[in-house]
Amino acid sequence: GRDQRRIADLKAIQNAAEQMVLLSGTYPTTSGWYLATSPAWSVAGQVVLAKVPGDPKGGNYVNYGVTNSSYCVCAVMEAKKNSNAENTQCSFANSDGYFCVKNQQ
C-alpha cells in the first residue's frame, strides 16, 4: 500500500511539474520544491499543486539534479519489484529499489 502511494505521489509531482513548465516556461524554481514542507506551486495565482506530498513513512522524497529545466525525483520502495530506476542516475534501469519520475520536456 505505501509503495502504491509513493508511485501516485511521484506521478502527481510529475504532472504538476509538467503543468508548471507549460504555464511558466520553467519547472518550479523555488529551492527545495520537491520537499513536503515547500509552499504550494502556483503560476499567476493559479495553484498547480497545493501541497507537495511526503513519504508515507515520514520525510521527503529524494531528488537528483533538480533545475528549472529538468528534474528527477525518487522514492525508496519497500518492495524492489515496484522500482523502476537506479538511485544515482535516474536511468530507469530497475535496480536499487527506487521509483523515479523525471522531466518530460
Side-chain angles (χ1 to χ4, degrees):
R2 285 187 295 260
D3 279 353
Q4 294 310 308
R5 178 167 161 213
R6 289 178 181 104
I7 291 169
D9 285 351
L10 291 181
K11 288 183 178 181
I13 290 170
Q14 182 180 41
N15 289 336
E18 296 306 318
Q19 188 174 3
M20 287 288 292
V21 80
L22 290 173
L23 293 171
S24 70
T26 67
Y27 290 108
T29 56
T30 304
S31 177
W33 64 261
Y34 51 86
L35 300 174
T37 56
S38 73
W41 300 0
S42 62
V43 175
Q46 177 183 349
V47 175
V48 176
L49 184 66
K51 182 177 183 333
V52 175
D55 188 88
K57 288 187 84 172
N60 301 302
Y61 293 118
V62 181
N63 82 88
Y64 297 100
V66 173
T67 70
N68 65 355
S69 62
S70 67
Y71 65 90
C72 178
V73 180
C74 302
V76 177
M77 305 305 277
E78 292 177 44
K80 280 194 173 198
K81 67 180 181 168
N82 295 325
S83 68
N84 74 342
E86 290 183 11
N87 65 343
T88 57
Q89 299 174 16
C90 201
S91 65
F92 297 88
N94 267 337
S95 64
D96 292 333
Y98 279 69
F99 182 89
C100 300
V101 296
K102 64 181 181 176
N103 55 288
Q104 301 296 298
Q105 304 292 322

